[in-house]
Amino acid sequence: MNRRPRVFSGMQPTGGLHIGNYLGALKSWVELQDDYDCIYCVVDYHAITIEHDPRDLQARIELVARGYLAAGVDPERSALFVQSAVPEHTELAWVFSSLTPIGLLGRMTQFKDKSKDHEDNVNAGLLTYPILQAADIAIYKSEAVPVGEDQQQHLEFARDVVRKFNLRYGGLFPEPRTILSSAPKVLGLDGERKMSKSLGNDIGLEESADEVWRKLAPAKTDPARVRRTDPGDPEKCNLYRYHRCFSSEQTLQWAAAGCRSAGIGCLDCKRKLHQHMEEQLAPLRERLLDLQAHPDRVREILAAGAARLRPIAQQTMAEVRDRLGIPRWPTT
Ligand code: TRP
């Protein structure tokens, strides 16, 4: 038996992955595989809380799954699957919903934000979203969850609900701890908002070297550098944050000093950044394209992941039903 602590994390199939997803999540997911028994999920049932086009959901699921694999999630070591393939997630969510005060849900930041962004569709799923997330984690008795800062409140909620279950029905679930991403926050190319495909300020993992360059070249830097001869402050430059994620220490020093003294122009600095980005992103992009050419391989990996996880989820759910006093019905 594998006795390593269990990690669970997931992303919504909202579209193509970008370097923000890579730096903020996928990179650490890949590293965690060395020390944890990892489960990585594409959470499709979460995605329907916002209006979506049923015709392209499967494609978006597979797109995200390819991103996990290309980044280095290893299906030999970790389970990679789609949430809806293991129905016990939603079953446990129902149980958890009966332990959750409505008021708590209404106070969730993400709910408030999404209600504002989708005023005409403030549905109950949007409200109970964190309950399903808690069930995702608890159904495998997961002990740790790598997420970004924006998900801390949902993790706090997950700990609350399993604590309540344990108290009322007897200890069954570990309280999942947060593994906070240590990656420096990367903003979108506008330097103002979180990187997001829908905002159009992203660099997609599948974009070619040329496409990336066409986005970097006009991107905002320190506004003080109007002319080539104006000195700047790297700490005020959005792209210097990208350098921090991709470039060597030596390049960082070169960029910072050159910026402060106006010894280099922003374009020189961007060229260097592009070069370092390519070193990390080119192999990833190649794997993405290869997986895209072999969709059956990805589907098999997802099916195998679900097949491996289903018995675990079924076992947990049987324990939950026992605790609740729900009878065992004979299966015919
Ligand atoms: N809510 C998470 C997000 O938007 C996605 C998610 C769903 C998740 N279930 C999860 C993350 C369980 C970690 C664990 O990023």
Side-chain angles (χ1 to χ4, degrees):
M1 267 304 270
N2 201 336
R3 302 188 62 81
R4 297 187 306 170
R6 181 164 289 157
V7 149
F8 183 99
S9 200
M11 277 185 210
Q12 293 195 47
T14 42
L17 298 182
H18 49 63
I19 61 168
N21 301 123
Y22 173 66
L23 298 167
L26 292 177
K27 244 180 130 169
S28 77
W29 290 14
V30 169
E31 285 163 13
L32 288 168
Q33 295 180 115
D34 293 337
D35 301 311
Y36 295 88
D37 176 22
C38 297
I39 304 176
Y40 295 127
C41 183
V42 183
V43 293
D44 53 346
Y45 272 144
H46 276 114
I48 65 167
T49 55
I50 285 176
E51 236 170 288
H52 77 291
D53 186 346
R55 284 169 306 189
D56 66 16
L57 184 56
Q58 185 178 349
R60 286 190 287 129
I61 290 168
E62 290 177 10
L63 194 65
V64 171
R66 287 200 293 274
Y68 290 6
L69 290 166
V73 169
D74 173 5
E76 300 284 320
R77 291 191 285 164
S78 306
L80 198 162
F81 78 116
V82 182
Q83 185 186 39
S84 60
V86 183
E88 284 75 14
H89 289 235
T90 43
E91 194 175 353
L92 181 59
W94 179 255
V95 175
F96 282 174
S97 75
S98 309
L99 289 168
T100 303
I102 299 172
L104 197 58
L105 296 170
R107 285 197 292 277
M108 293 283 144
T109 316
Q110 190 166 309
F111 171 68
K112 289 193 277 189
D113 289 348
K114 286 191 179 174
S115 309
K116 243 181 262 157
D117 290 346
H118 306 274
E119 265 175 347
D120 51 346
N121 185 21
V122 184
N123 60 76
L126 212 52
L127 182 68
T128 58
Y129 180 112
I131 300 180
L132 181 55
Q133 180 163 351
D136 293 338
I137 298 163
I139 197 76
Y140 305 108
K141 301 185 179 170
S142 313
E143 286 147 283
V145 183
V147 285
E149 235 170 276
D150 64 321
Q151 292 296 312
Q152 289 214 79
Q153 198 181 27
H154 284 170
L155 262 289
E156 191 57 48
F157 172 84
R159 284 189 285 274
D160 265 10
V161 76
V162 305
R163 203 176 298 135
K164 222 176 264 171
F165 182 99
N166 289 343
L167 231 74
R168 188 174 301 180
Y169 300 114
L172 183 62
F173 299 112
E175 285 179 27
R177 67 185 172 86
T178 307
I179 301 178
L180 203 57
S181 166
S182 59
K185 209 180 181 76
V186 288
L187 295 173
L189 286 164
D190 54 7
E192 281 159 25
R193 303 192 56 177
K194 194 173 148 175
M195 188 173 284
S196 141
K197 193 170 179 115
S198 54
L199 293 173
N201 64 1
D202 69 319
I203 295 178
L205 292 182
E206 77 291 346
E207 291 187 73
S208 71
D210 284 350
E211 285 170 314
V212 173
W213 177 248
R214 276 199 294 276
K215 287 187 170 181
L216 283 181
K220 271 193 199 155
T221 54
D222 176 2
R225 299 205 72 183
V226 182
R227 286 173 301 257
R228 162 73 178 75
T229 47
D230 295 330
D233 178 356
E235 298 308 327
K236 294 192 179 131
C237 175
N238 189 39
L239 292 193
Y240 189 68
R241 295 196 200 112
Y242 292 18
H243 262 300
R244 280 223 172 88
C245 299
F246 289 102
S247 300
S248 61
E249 197 48 48
Q250 201 186 352
T251 299
L252 280 174
Q253 283 173 16
W254 167 86
C259 180
R260 289 200 183 95
S261 64
I264 60 169
C266 290
L267 214 54
D268 303 323
C269 192
K270 286 169 172 177
R271 268 192 213 101
K272 199 78 177 169
L273 170 64
H274 186 234
Q275 205 180 319
H276 281 288
M277 285 176 72
E278 272 304 294
E279 285 162 14
Q280 285 198 47
L281 297 179
L284 203 150
R285 186 187 306 133
E286 221 162 274
R287 287 193 291 272
L288 268 182
L289 291 176
D290 182 48
L291 290 163
Q292 202 174 346
H294 300 95
D296 286 345
R297 205 190 295 162
V298 178
R299 287 173 200 148
E300 271 165 34
I301 289 169
L302 292 172
R308 197 180 120 195
L309 294 174
R310 249 178 237 127
I312 304 175
Q314 283 163 359
Q315 170 65 31
T316 305
M317 208 48 227
E319 290 166 354
V320 168
R321 286 153 163 262
D322 279 349
R323 300 292 174 97
L324 294 169
I326 288 177
R328 295 188 175 210
W329 302 103
T331 45
T332 47

